[in-house]
Amino acid sequence: MKASWLILAAFLMVGFAYSLVTPAFETPDEPFHYAFARHVAQGNGLPVQDPQSPGLWAQEGSQAPLYYLITGVATAWIDQSDFEQIAVHNPRANIGDPLYPGNKNFMLHSGQWRALQGANLALHVGRWLSLLMGAFTLWCIHRLAQLVFPNSRSLPLAAMALAAVIPQFLFLSASFSNDNAVIAASAFTLFWLARLLAKADDTAISRWEWSVLGVALGLAALSKLQGLGLIPLSGMVVLFLAWRRRDWRILPVSLIFVGAPALLIAGWWYWRNIALYGDWSGLSHLMDINGRRQEPLTWRNFWPEFDGLRYSAWGVFGWFNILLPDWFYKLMDALTVVGLLGALLATITALRPAAPRPSPLAPRPLLLLWLWLGMMAVLLLYWTMQATGSQGRLLFPALASVVILLTAGFDFWLRQLSQFWQRSFWIGLLALMLSMSIYALGWLLPNAYFAPPPVTAIDDKATPVNIRYGGDGALRLLAVSVDRERVRVGETVPVTLYLQSSAPLDDDYQLFLQLLDENGLEIANLTTHPGWGRNPTTLWTPGAIYADHYLLQVTERIDERSPVAARLYVGFIDPATEASGSYLPLPAYSADGEEITPIVGGIVVEPLNAPGRSALADPVGSEFGGVIWLDSAEIALSEDRRFLHVNLLWEAIGAPAADYTMFVHVVDDAGNRIGGFDRPPAGNRFPTSLWRTHDRVVSQFSVDFNEPLPPGDYEVWVGLYESDSAGARRLPVTAPGNVHTGDGQVQLAVLRAAS
């Protein structure tokens, strides 16, 4: 008994820490659960759902009301008028994408420590009530496990401890959520059903025992729709008891003494749904607000959702966007398979009438656990077919079944080992899961929500830019550091911004980082509040320097003829334009007060598929200045003889030291230049000074002669010269013997214009 109280005490301590460390409204749907309870606390009764105007409680207003009635009454004495002031939504919140590195905070000011008063106090009172429900769930699991393992003192404690250290259960138990009510009601109902099954067949079941079951079913049905699944489960238990005892009077007695309290407690709410919505469950309005599945559930889209279900059964925090280490999930997958397989074999052994040695398991409660787990899986599958977003917490009404069956399965395999190894396994497993819970509490959650402290100095590798934004120039970008010179499409660029304000800021400014191609089009864009959502500007300390680290992903495909020298643009959005959706930038100024375009750096973006060698029809094989190779060419005169279409494939065989300009000259048979073109090989998108070995560029352009060429022969020459050199100094050419060369140029073709 002392050990069970120690487990409960440890659970309450860690859960209480979770309730404090997790910022307000940073658990799934918490602001909507809270708004429902607040509506009750203000004396407004239950909300009436309207999909066109869902209210602050959103889809949660369709939920069964027991949890909200309890928390509403418990918080009615608190002035919660500041709810909408502290519940400021982060417009860039990352919901449901744990691999995205930023904006984990659903609320904009989650990094701000708040006193336990007003709406924040009411929220935490609800969280602490949830924690007590979690502790009651553990008590029920322990009592239920005692019925499953009647001859063991350690295994019920192991099952209880296993549930207590599941990171997701701790996180959920410390949140303002109605899931905690249905989990507790389900655990107690399972315990009571197992208690009835464990009674000797010749021992009468009293009316008060049936009434307790009725109260439990009523509370479960009033907690969440999942609780209704316990009604058919209880019906099967009643039928079994009547058959086993050969006493069919059990049926009318149980129907009266179970059904009456259940209907009295929960029936009114389902009747209310029929009267208001014509739908006894209220699910139609819930899904109208929350969203229905748009495509039928298939094997292809089931498995990705199943991955999310598995992960979130063990631990996915925040708004489904903070993960534990990947290896932990793989290990728990393996242990779950091993444990449930062992539980299945242990169940078969317990049911064998002529087993070589008696089973340590009570078969009836054990079968009850399997049956409830199977029913919960079917209910979850049904819900998944109606809506998207399966989460592990939806399986937690069967938490008692899961942990006790896993305990039975592990024990089945461990019986073959010595006591030392059995204890070592349990100590190791529980220590691992507790360490993951503490790791999430002490590292993952604080780093997801609380901005790092200001830095004392700017890194020496950063480039000073000293840009000021807005009319008063109080918002400043001091320096920028870009940690990669080159990326490919789909990769990320690490960027660090050193930000500062010279005075307190009254607005929460969003900043944006963009990579722009030569035409000013975005190929990468990131818009967020500073600190990747964690450090809104109204929380800044004037004069402090904040080092903001970002990963800017190149998402747009680029023209694959060459890389592009992308420009890094850093700006802030004018808050006055956000309401209209125009999102115009604040004006930017240099340190001298001159208005500028805040281009603060550049990076080379490479295409996914660079052109291959000899990609064009006619090989050239000429070398310019020992650093650039002209691989091949395609030259074509248009049918009307007015245009010459030229395609050239260049490759860097070294690192050019300067920017070179390409020239193409078309000369007639008298040596007169009649047309041509001077431009960098890649135009404005990729200057040659940025080329590196193996870079390949396709030059595509046309020479316009303005009128059809007269009949005759014409030579096409190409060369490179230094863009900034006096006299346009050409690069020397080395070419194979079959290629004609001249003064720093190569003959590409001889064209014959026929009449």
Side-chain angles (χ1 to χ4, degrees):
M1 183 62 69
K2 291 182 179 180
S4 64
W5 284 108
L6 286 175
I7 293 171
L8 285 175
F11 171 81
L12 289 171
M13 287 172 54
V14 178
F16 182 73
Y18 264 98
S19 76
L20 297 179
V21 170
T22 306
F25 310 118
E26 290 294 354
T27 70
D29 298 329
E30 193 171 50
F32 314 133
H33 291 301
Y34 169 81
F36 189 160
R38 175 176 175 262
H39 186 75
V40 173
Q42 292 174 332
N44 299 316
L46 302 182
V48 176
Q49 287 294 83
D50 179 2
Q52 304 304 315
S53 180
L56 296 175
W57 44 82
Q59 75 279 357
E60 303 304 337
S62 299
Q63 296 274 20
L66 178 62
Y67 180 83
Y68 309 105
L69 294 173
I70 294 172
T71 51
V73 170
T75 58
W77 57 277
I78 302 172
D79 178 8
Q80 305 174 46
S81 58
D82 61 340
F83 168 48
E84 295 183 48
Q85 283 71 48
I86 70 173
V88 180
H89 177 236
N90 175 10
R92 305 292 172 178
N94 157 28
I95 301 175
D97 185 1
L99 300 181
Y100 187 76
N103 281 289
K104 307 290 188 182
N105 50 311
F106 184 77
M107 292 296 167
L108 183 58
H109 298 102
S110 289
Q112 179 181 8
W113 180 258
R114 296 187 182 277
L116 287 175
Q117 61 187 26
N120 192 44
L121 174 60
L123 173 73
H124 280 78
V125 169
R127 287 181 173 183
W128 298 332
L129 287 171
S130 294
L131 196 57
L132 292 176
M133 294 177 189
F136 179 70
T137 298
L138 294 180
W139 179 85
C140 294
I141 289 174
H142 184 243
R143 293 298 305 274
L144 175 57
Q146 287 177 322
L147 297 173
V148 176
F149 308 107
N151 301 315
S152 173
R153 295 181 59 187
S154 59
L155 291 178
L157 291 172
M160 181 187 189
L162 182 59
V165 295
I166 294 175
Q168 190 70 38
F169 182 59
L170 271 164
F171 177 70
L172 180 63
S173 296
S175 69
F176 198 111
S177 172
N178 67 334
D179 287 298
N180 295 293
V182 73
I183 293 168
S186 299
F188 179 80
T189 304
L190 276 183
F191 157 62
W192 202 254
L193 288 172
R195 182 180 179 276
L196 296 178
L197 287 170
K199 291 175 70 76
D201 290 340
D202 58 355
T203 303
I205 299 174
S206 63
R207 293 176 178 177
W208 75 265
E209 290 176 299
W210 291 122
S211 297
V212 170
L213 177 60
V215 170
L217 290 176
L219 294 176
L222 199 61
S223 298
K224 201 169 183 178
L225 285 176
Q226 287 172 294
L228 291 175
L230 292 163
I231 294 176
L233 179 70
S234 301
M236 286 184 270
V237 169
V238 169
L239 286 172
F240 173 81
L241 290 173
W243 168 78
R244 185 68 181 176
R245 293 164 178 257
R246 302 297 189 269
D247 184 2
W248 298 104
R249 290 174 299 175
I250 287 177
L251 299 182
V253 171
S254 63
L255 183 63
I256 294 171
F257 288 95
V258 174
L263 280 173
L264 187 64
I265 292 172
W268 64 270
W269 183 73
Y270 292 92
W271 179 256
R272 175 181 181 270
N273 285 340
I274 294 173
L276 285 176
Y277 315 124
D279 171 17
W280 65 272
S281 68
L283 275 179
S284 59
H285 278 59
L286 186 150
M287 288 192 288
D288 285 343
I289 297 170
N290 195 47
R292 301 174 184 268
R293 179 178 289 279
Q294 298 301 311
E295 298 179 359
L297 184 65
T298 63
W299 281 110
R300 175 175 293 182
N301 56 28
F302 170 78
W303 288 110
E305 291 193 36
F306 183 65
D307 288 340
L309 175 71
R310 289 169 26 244
Y311 278 40
S312 61
W314 297 112
V316 177
F317 307 99
W319 282 73
F320 213 65
N321 55 16
I322 303 173
L323 287 174
L324 291 166
D326 185 60
W327 60 264
F328 173 73
Y329 300 108
K330 293 178 180 177
L331 176 61
M332 296 315 299
D333 283 347
L335 288 173
T336 301
V337 171
V338 170
L340 291 181
L341 177 60
L344 179 61
L345 296 175
T347 304
I348 294 172
T349 302
L351 294 174
R352 289 173 58 187
R357 54 182 179 177
S359 169
L361 301 171
R364 291 184 188 179
L366 193 62
L367 288 175
L368 176 72
L369 300 182
W370 280 112
L371 186 58
W372 179 232
L373 180 59
M375 291 176 66
M376 282 303 306
V378 171
L379 289 172
L380 180 58
L381 179 61
Y382 172 77
W383 170 252
T384 305
M385 293 173 67
Q386 307 301 314
T388 56
S390 300
Q391 297 184 27
R393 61 186 172 85
L394 300 179
L395 270 176
F396 276 18
L399 179 65
S401 291
V402 172
V403 295
I404 294 174
L405 289 173
L406 286 177
T407 302
F410 294 148
D411 179 65
F412 178 83
W413 302 114
L414 292 171
R415 275 183 243 152
Q416 317 303 320
L417 305 177
S418 66
Q419 288 291 324
F420 171 80
W421 289 110
Q422 291 183 40
R423 292 194 191 96
S424 297
F425 171 82
W426 282 109
I427 292 172
L429 176 61
L430 297 175
L432 168 67
M433 298 185 69
L434 180 59
S435 67
M436 288 294 102
S437 297
I438 294 175
Y439 168 65
L441 175 65
W443 177 259
L444 290 180
L445 293 176
N447 279 277
Y449 299 118
F450 302 111
V455 297
T456 56
I458 297 174
D459 193 290
D460 293 339
K461 297 179 181 179
T463 302
V465 293
N466 294 317
I467 298 175
R468 303 182 181 191
Y469 297 88
D472 59 2
L475 194 57
R476 300 177 178 179
L477 174 59
L478 303 179
V480 176
S481 176
V482 180
D483 292 345
R484 293 185 67 177
E485 294 182 353
R486 289 184 165 224
V487 294
R488 295 180 65 120
V489 173
E491 295 179 340
T492 56
V493 184
V495 178
T496 301
L497 308 178
Y498 291 89
L499 302 167
Q500 186 186 60
S501 67
S502 59
L505 299 173
D506 296 327
D507 291 301
D508 287 314
Y509 294 94
Q510 296 188 66
L511 67 83
F512 59 91
L513 298 86
Q514 296 175 341
L515 286 179
L516 307 177
D517 67 10
E518 75 278 14
N519 297 315
L521 300 177
E522 296 177 15
I523 57 176
N525 179 54
L526 188 157
T527 304
T528 179
H529 285 274
W532 220 328
R534 298 174 297 170
N535 193 23
T537 54
T538 54
L539 303 184
W540 287 11
T541 300
I545 300 174
Y546 298 96
D548 267 9
H549 306 286
Y550 297 101
L551 294 174
L552 181 59
Q553 185 176 32
V554 180
T555 56
E556 298 296 327
R557 294 179 67 94
I558 64 173
D559 187 335
E560 297 191 343
R561 291 178 298 171
S562 81
V564 59
R567 297 165 294 156
L568 178 60
Y569 184 118
V570 177
F572 284 86
I573 295 173
D574 184 348
T577 69
E578 290 187 30
S580 63
S582 54
Y583 296 101
L584 298 178
L586 287 171
Y589 303 92
S590 68
D592 298 330
E594 180 184 357
E595 187 167 357
I596 60 172
T597 299
I599 300 296
V600 298
I603 189 167
V604 174
V605 179
E606 299 175 346
L608 287 173
N609 301 301
R613 292 184 175 89
S614 300
L616 305 179
D618 301 318
V620 178
S622 299
E623 183 181 296
F624 292 81
V627 290
I628 295 180
W629 177 266
L630 179 55
D631 182 271
S632 53
E634 286 180 349
I635 311 296
L637 187 63
S638 63
E639 290 184 5
D640 60 4
R641 306 195 310 276
R642 181 177 171 180
F643 297 96
L644 180 68
H645 304 296
V646 180
N647 292 344
L648 304 175
L649 174 59
W650 305 88
E651 181 173 358
I653 55 176
D659 288 327
Y660 301 130
T661 298
M662 169 188 67
F663 66 86
V664 172
H665 293 165
V666 181
V667 299
D668 60 17
D669 51 8
N672 298 314
R673 178 179 168 187
I674 63 170
F677 205 103
D678 286 50
R679 52 163 272 179
N684 296 324
R685 65 185 282 115
F686 191 38
T688 57
S689 59
L690 298 177
W691 291 19
R692 298 295 179 265
T693 304
H694 304 310
D695 280 342
R696 289 191 288 277
V697 171
V698 174
S699 300
Q700 291 182 334
F701 58 90
S702 297
V703 177
D704 185 354
F705 300 114
N706 296 319
E707 58 184 23
L709 284 178
D713 293 335
Y714 300 90
E715 296 177 355
V716 182
W717 295 81
V718 66
L720 294 171
Y721 62 84
E722 292 185 18
S723 304
D724 297 330
S725 66
R729 184 163 56 89
R730 295 182 180 183
L731 273 65
V733 177
T734 302
N738 62 337
V739 176
H740 296 286
T741 62
D743 178 20
Q745 58 184 342
V746 171
Q747 187 185 79
L748 294 178
V750 177
L751 301 175
R752 173 160 293 176
S755 57

